[in-house]
Amino acid sequence: VQLVESGGGSVQAGGSLRLSCVASKYTYSDYCMGWYRQAPGKERESIAVINSIGQTSYSNSVKGRFTISKDNGENTLYLQMNSLKPEDTATYYCAADSPGRALTYELGVLCYEYNYWGQGTQVTVS
């Protein structure tokens, strides 16, 4: 399974970006997928998750501004980011779980532990 993110870039505060994550050899409809981000000098932060039935959850830092969604037919995960702030500057990663891993809660949603990660896409808000 390979996850490839795209859509990052530089934007002014208040602007919007949409990140995409395309997976090969992975059935989006079956499992949890999510977005993480990591800013320089900070720990990696889980910011959004969506499960197999479309249940979503967000971290408090992005709730109300970001929206996670997926297109099962296109095997693509999205993160719509609105009202961006300088503190949203980070490298953003998509992640996917797989059965056989330990069960865990991602932002309150029951998932398997993430097993697959993308390479990251940079978002810079000035």
Side-chain angles (χ1 to χ4, degrees):
V1 176
Q2 184 178 17
L3 305 179
V4 179
E5 303 100 334
S6 62
S10 297
V11 65
Q12 291 188 338
S16 298
L17 284 174
R18 189 176 79 159
L19 305 184
S20 300
C21 174
V22 179
S24 62
K25 301 179 182 179
Y26 188 81
T27 305
Y28 271 57
S29 60
D30 292 347
Y31 310 115
C32 286
M33 297 195 72
W35 290 95
Y36 274 72
R37 69 184 181 186
Q38 187 167 22
K42 295 188 176 182
E43 292 187 358
R44 188 177 59 185
E45 175 189 17
S46 177
I47 60 171
V49 62
I50 185 167
N51 69 3
S52 61
I53 60 172
Q55 180 185 7
T56 60
S57 185
Y58 302 90
S59 66
N60 289 333
S61 60
V62 307
K63 192 177 299 181
R65 300 187 298 122
F66 291 10
T67 302
I68 188 172
S69 62
K70 59 179 179 175
D71 184 330
N72 293 330
E74 296 295 325
N75 260 14
T76 303
L77 178 73
Y78 299 103
L79 184 69
Q80 178 66 43
M81 306 186 295
N82 299 328
S83 302
L84 283 161
K85 305 174 181 180
E87 51 263 44
D88 294 318
T89 296
T91 301
Y92 285 71
Y93 301 88
C94 66
D97 73 356
S98 62
R101 304 274 289 186
L103 285 169
T104 185
Y105 283 95
E106 282 287 335
L107 299 172
V109 176
L110 185 63
C111 302
Y112 295 102
E113 288 181 343
Y114 288 136
N115 196 31
Y116 306 110
W117 295 86
Q119 84 289 350
T121 185
Q122 178 66 36
V123 172
T124 302
V125 185
S126 59

